[in-house]
Amino acid sequence: MSEVKAENRFKRYFKETRAEVRKVHWPTRKEARSLTIVVLVITVAMMIFLGTISALAAILAGSFFVKQDALAIAAVAIAGVVGIVVLAILLRRQ
């Protein structure tokens, strides 16, 4: 009588992994490019938005300790509003 050899668990793992990878829907080059652009645009928009808020907070916090120029505060506030508007436009396009 010949014994049936038990399948190696590592071999089974790699077979199952290979079968699962074959089921994956891989994006086309065009889809990957467009999704990459979306991620980059949102990243840049968030950098501008968060940087503006950070600068505004720094100026406002500094104004409590050192007298700041009102023009600088107004410029940062305007930049913050512009950042919010740009972010809203970008999110609406999605």
Side-chain angles (χ1 to χ4, degrees), residues 66-88:
V66 178
K67 206 164 199 172
Q68 290 289 326
D69 180 275
L71 183 61
I73 294 173
V76 171
I78 290 170
V81 170
V82 169
I84 292 170
V85 169
V86 167
L87 182 62

Side-chain angles (χ1 to χ4, degrees), residues 8-81:
N8 185 341
R9 63 182 167 168
F10 294 111
K11 190 174 180 181
R12 185 180 69 223
Y13 169 77
F14 286 113
K15 278 184 178 180
E16 290 174 1
T17 302
R18 186 175 176 191
E20 288 299 320
V21 169
R22 286 183 178 170
K23 294 178 188 177
V24 173
H25 166 72
W26 297 100
T28 64
R29 183 177 294 270
K30 185 177 179 180
E31 289 172 335
R33 185 179 301 129
S34 66
L35 291 173
T36 301
I37 290 170
V38 168
V39 168
L40 291 175
V41 166
I42 290 174
T43 301
V44 169
M46 289 305 296
M47 281 179 12
I48 292 168
F49 177 70
L50 294 174
T52 302
I53 289 177
S54 176
L56 178 62
I59 287 176
L60 291 176
S63 69
F64 290 117
F65 302 110
V66 178
K67 206 164 199 172
Q68 290 289 326
D69 180 275
L71 183 61
I73 294 173
V76 171
I78 290 170
V81 170

